[in-house]
Amino acid sequence: MTKRIFQSICFAALGVFMVSMALFMGVLYNYFSGVQYKQLRIQTDLAARGAANEGLGYFEGLAMEDCRITWIGPDGQVLYDSRSDTSGMENHLERKEIRQAFETGSGESARYSHTLLERSIYCARRLPDGTVLRLSMVQNTWITLILGMLYPLCILCVVVLLLALVLAFRLSREIVRPLNDLDLDNPLGNDGYQEITPLLERIALQQRQIRSQKEELRQRQNEFGTVTRGMTEGLILLDGKNRILSINPAAMRLFGAEPSCQGRYLLSVNRSLKLQELLQKAGEGIYAEMVMELGGRNYQMDATPVISDGLVSGVVLLILDVTEKEKTEQIRREFTANVSHELKTPLHTISGSAELMANGLVDARDFPVFSERIYTEAQRLIRLVEDIIRLSRLDEGADGMPWEEMDLYALAADTVQRLRPQAEAAGVRMNLCGSPVQVWGIRQLVEGIVFNLADNGVRYNRKNGSVTVAAEAERGGAVLTVADTGIGIPPEHQERIFERFYRVDKSHSRELGGTGLGLSIVRHAARLHNARIEVESEVGTGTRIRVHFCGDSTNSYCSWGISSCPAAPDKKGPSEL
């Protein structure tokens, strides 16, 4: 802007100077031309009077160097000329000034030379005898005048140019200084030009809008950052060239990246061929997904292209941990297959026995045997269905089941009494020990824990063996212990005995009437009560299983320190962890 103002002032000053000089030269030229015309008229009048009184003798010895005198007769022939021989001169009757003089008594004219550097002015007077006396004078043109004044004009131009440059520089700086000193952070507080007040008001309005939008963007960015930082899923925002624009901590942990990775290409952080193919599809505007293994876990990566004006301007990469989902799906498939298999065997037995009886292929004396077989398998089916229903309710969190305070020792005593006939039939001795201790939970589920553990102790025991059920208090809660002197569990199977339908000895387990779901029900029920299960077993010696419950009377931490006891003064249910 300063340069433009400087140039404008210089051009304006030079323009004014040139116009002024042209006007000055024009006025000066017109003034001197008028003076010359006046002098020529006076000299013509004097010469005409002298020639009228004295004739040609008047011109003898007359010195008029600046003027040329010509005397023309009535027929246009030159009678006298002060500078040329009259014999060789042409007739002057057609000359403008001569014709005017014959007609009106006087005449004037001007004619330029061939070079346009000189102009001749003429003035003629008619004498009493009918002849005409003419005087002419050479006058310089405006071009000659300029050429004659060229040197002083050049000096004057240089001086004017220097002055124009100095003044233009100072004026442009003074004009621009208030603009350069504007406080744009406070536009309305400036004492500048009145003409820029609308601009300053517009700037102030835009600054308010920008501050408002900036604050809104900062708030959204903080919200976005808070959400993405708290996500367990990985989230990565990429530009059109797969450079990282944003990455949340979960994604950084998965890829082992640092916060400084923003601005780098994602493939420089992880060079997986699958990831490269995924980004290539997303770059073509196609939604793509894949499952990729990272750190021993399976992650599903969803790449969603961001399309703007028909072009892919970026990619949103969402990373989900699907390890548990796939594991759950695998368990569901295995559970479905196991349920089908477990139901198939008793159904075939019932169907086969019934078919033999219906077709009369069974002797009447064998009817009780087949009927007992059908009844046994039907009871087995009923127990299996009941366990499946119970397990399904536990998978749903046992919603709606009442929580209450109960005596774990009393529940153990009831269970021992219920199982005593079965134990006596199997030659197993039932023992109960411990002391009354209160626990907070769902009675039906806690009873199921005690019953399933004690029932397994009886089923998988040996002749003359024993099962001991104990309920005791411990720091922060209570512990249920079920110990037997049975066949024991090999170490390689101890981690899997709580899986659904998992049996250490499948054939022996079916002979004993087990459904394979008891310990799975125990695990789910214990998990709902924030209880911890310990298993100690030795093949041929026996098994001891402990279930540690949190008590709610002291509202303290469990002795194993993994979760707080479910404090529930209103007796509604456990606290969420």
Side-chain angles (χ1 to χ4, degrees):
M1 183 176 179
T2 304
K3 182 178 180 181
R4 296 184 62 182
I5 294 176
F6 175 79
Q7 292 176 349
S8 299
I9 294 176
C10 287
F11 291 149
L14 292 177
V16 170
F17 171 72
M18 297 301 294
V19 172
S20 300
M21 287 300 299
L23 292 175
F24 175 75
M25 295 295 293
V27 171
L28 185 63
Y29 181 74
N30 290 334
Y31 173 75
F32 282 111
S33 296
V35 170
Q36 284 185 321
Y37 263 112
K38 187 175 181 181
Q39 290 178 351
L40 185 60
R41 293 189 192 100
I42 294 173
Q43 290 179 357
T44 301
D45 290 339
L46 293 175
R49 291 174 184 173
N53 293 330
E54 300 181 15
L56 291 175
Y58 174 77
F59 299 111
E60 293 179 1
L62 182 64
M64 295 183 67
E65 298 179 357
D66 295 337
C67 296
R68 179 179 179 182
I69 302 173
T70 305
W71 195 357
I72 299 98
D75 56 356
Q77 294 297 323
V78 178
L79 302 178
Y80 173 76
D81 188 86
S82 62
R83 294 186 182 178
S84 299
D85 186 10
T86 58
S87 59
M89 298 182 66
E90 60 182 5
N91 191 289
H92 281 45
L93 190 61
E94 297 301 325
R95 303 293 175 90
K96 179 180 179 181
E97 70 277 1
I98 301 300
R99 191 169 59 254
Q100 289 178 354
F102 279 122
E103 294 176 355
T104 62
S106 64
E108 294 178 357
S109 68
R111 288 188 288 275
Y112 287 93
S113 65
H114 296 293
T115 60
L116 297 178
L117 297 178
E118 292 182 349
R119 188 177 73 159
S120 298
I121 57 176
Y122 299 92
C123 187
R125 294 290 185 271
R126 187 178 62 191
L127 301 182
D129 60 356
T131 61
V132 174
L133 184 65
R134 184 188 70 177
L135 272 69
S136 64
M137 181 183 294
V138 176
Q139 181 187 47
N140 292 329
T141 62
W142 61 273
I143 297 178
T144 306
L145 182 62
I146 292 176
L147 292 176
M149 298 180 65
L150 185 62
Y151 181 71
L153 284 176
C154 290
I155 295 176
L156 185 60
C157 285
V158 172
V159 173
V160 171
L161 180 61
L162 293 176
L163 290 175
L165 292 175
V166 173
L167 292 175
F169 176 74
R170 297 188 62 182
L171 286 174
S172 60
R173 189 171 59 180
E174 291 298 325
I175 292 173
V176 175
R177 179 180 291 116
L179 300 179
N180 291 333
D181 294 341
L182 287 176
D183 183 9
L184 296 180
D185 293 331
N186 184 22
L188 299 181
N190 294 283
D191 295 330
Y193 299 114
Q194 186 67 26
E195 291 78 8
I196 64 173
T197 300
L199 175 62
L200 296 178
E201 293 176 350
R202 183 69 177 273
I203 292 175
L205 176 61
Q206 290 182 346
Q207 284 186 345
R208 289 195 296 269
Q209 293 175 348
I210 291 173
R211 283 194 294 268
S212 176
Q213 294 174 355
K214 186 177 179 180
E215 183 63 26
E216 184 179 356
L217 289 175
R218 183 183 295 110
Q219 182 178 356
R220 291 185 178 181
Q221 185 177 8
N222 291 336
E223 293 174 355
F224 178 77
T226 302
V227 172
T228 55
R229 283 193 298 272
M231 291 174 58
T232 57
E233 299 82 3
L235 181 65
I236 304 176
L237 304 182
L238 306 175
D239 63 6
K241 297 183 179 179
N242 293 330
R243 285 191 294 252
I244 300 174
L245 297 178
S246 177
I247 180 171
N248 70 338
M252 285 190 286
R253 288 193 299 270
L254 291 176
F255 287 107
E258 299 294 333
S260 59
C261 68
Q262 292 191 9
R264 294 169 54 190
Y265 292 97
L266 179 60
L267 292 178
S268 66
V269 177
N270 188 291
R271 301 181 180 276
S272 170
L273 182 60
K274 286 186 176 180
L275 181 60
Q276 183 177 356
E277 295 175 353
L278 183 74
L279 295 179
Q280 184 176 358
K281 289 183 179 179
E284 296 172 356
I286 304 172
Y287 169 80
E289 64 179 29
M290 72 169 187
V291 177
M292 181 177 177
E293 183 178 353
L294 291 173
R297 298 184 67 85
N298 295 326
Y299 294 90
Q300 178 178 324
M301 298 191 179
D302 299 336
T304 304
V306 179
I307 300 177
S308 176
D309 296 331
L311 299 176
V312 178
S313 59
V315 176
V316 178
L317 186 62
L318 182 62
I319 307 171
L320 305 172
D321 188 348
V322 295
T323 306
E324 297 300 329
K325 178 181 177 182
E326 291 189 346
K327 184 178 180 180
T328 303
E329 184 66 21
Q330 179 65 26
I331 292 175
R332 186 191 65 80
R333 290 194 296 267
E334 292 179 356
F335 179 73
T336 302
N338 289 330
V339 167
S340 301
H341 180 72
E342 293 294 334
L343 292 175
K344 184 178 180 180
T345 301
L347 285 175
H348 280 177
T349 302
I350 294 172
S351 176
S353 299
E355 184 179 3
L356 290 174
M357 294 174 66
N359 293 331
L361 300 178
V362 178
D363 191 87
R365 291 171 296 178
D366 294 331
F367 267 40
V369 176
F370 281 86
S371 298
E372 182 180 0
R373 184 181 303 172
I374 293 173
Y375 175 77
T376 302
E377 295 298 331
Q379 291 298 314
R380 180 181 174 188
L381 281 176
I382 292 173
R383 290 196 300 272
L384 182 60
V385 172
E386 288 177 347
D387 285 346
I388 292 173
I389 294 174
R390 188 178 299 112
L391 196 58
S392 298
R393 292 190 64 184
L394 292 177
D395 285 337
E396 296 173 358
D399 293 338
M401 301 181 73
W403 287 71
E404 59 181 301
E405 195 172 26
M406 67 198 78
D407 187 352
L408 184 61
Y409 180 81
L411 292 179
D414 291 342
T415 302
V416 169
Q417 291 299 324
R418 288 170 58 190
L419 291 175
R420 194 177 298 278
Q422 177 182 338
E424 291 177 353
V428 177
R429 183 175 67 257
M430 297 291 297
N431 300 319
L432 175 66
C433 61
S435 60
V437 57
Q438 299 295 317
V439 295
W440 175 254
I442 302 174
R443 178 177 294 273
Q444 180 180 352
L445 299 185
V446 177
E447 287 179 347
I449 293 175
V450 180
F451 182 84
N452 278 290
L453 292 179
D455 181 63
N456 280 352
V458 172
R459 289 177 182 274
Y460 300 101
N461 216 313
R462 59 168 61 92
K463 191 74 172 178
N464 298 323
S466 66
V467 175
T468 302
V469 180
E472 301 172 311
E474 65 176 2
R475 185 171 63 89
V479 58
L480 171 70
T481 304
V482 178
D484 64 61
T485 58
I487 59 178
I489 305 170
E492 65 271 15
H493 295 283
Q494 291 180 13
E495 293 294 330
R496 301 192 61 188
I497 60 174
F498 294 98
E499 295 180 8
R500 302 178 184 187
F501 295 110
Y502 187 83
R503 295 184 176 90
V504 177
D505 186 349
K506 296 180 173 57
S507 59
H508 184 58
S509 297
R510 288 195 179 92
E511 291 176 359
L512 295 175
T515 63
L517 295 175
L519 290 181
S520 181
I521 293 174
V522 169
R523 182 181 64 178
H524 279 68
R527 186 176 298 169
L528 287 174
H529 289 81
N530 295 324
R532 178 170 61 91
I533 302 176
E534 292 180 354
V535 178
E536 297 177 4
S537 182
E538 184 176 348
V539 176
T541 301
T543 302
R544 177 183 288 108
I545 299 179
R546 291 187 179 92
V547 182
H548 299 268
F549 292 91
C550 285
D552 70 333
S553 58
T554 60
N555 194 20
S556 61
Y557 285 93
C558 295
S559 61
W560 51 94
I562 59 171
S563 63
S564 62
C565 294
D570 57 352
K571 307 300 184 183
K572 290 184 179 179
S575 60
E576 292 184 2
L577 300 180

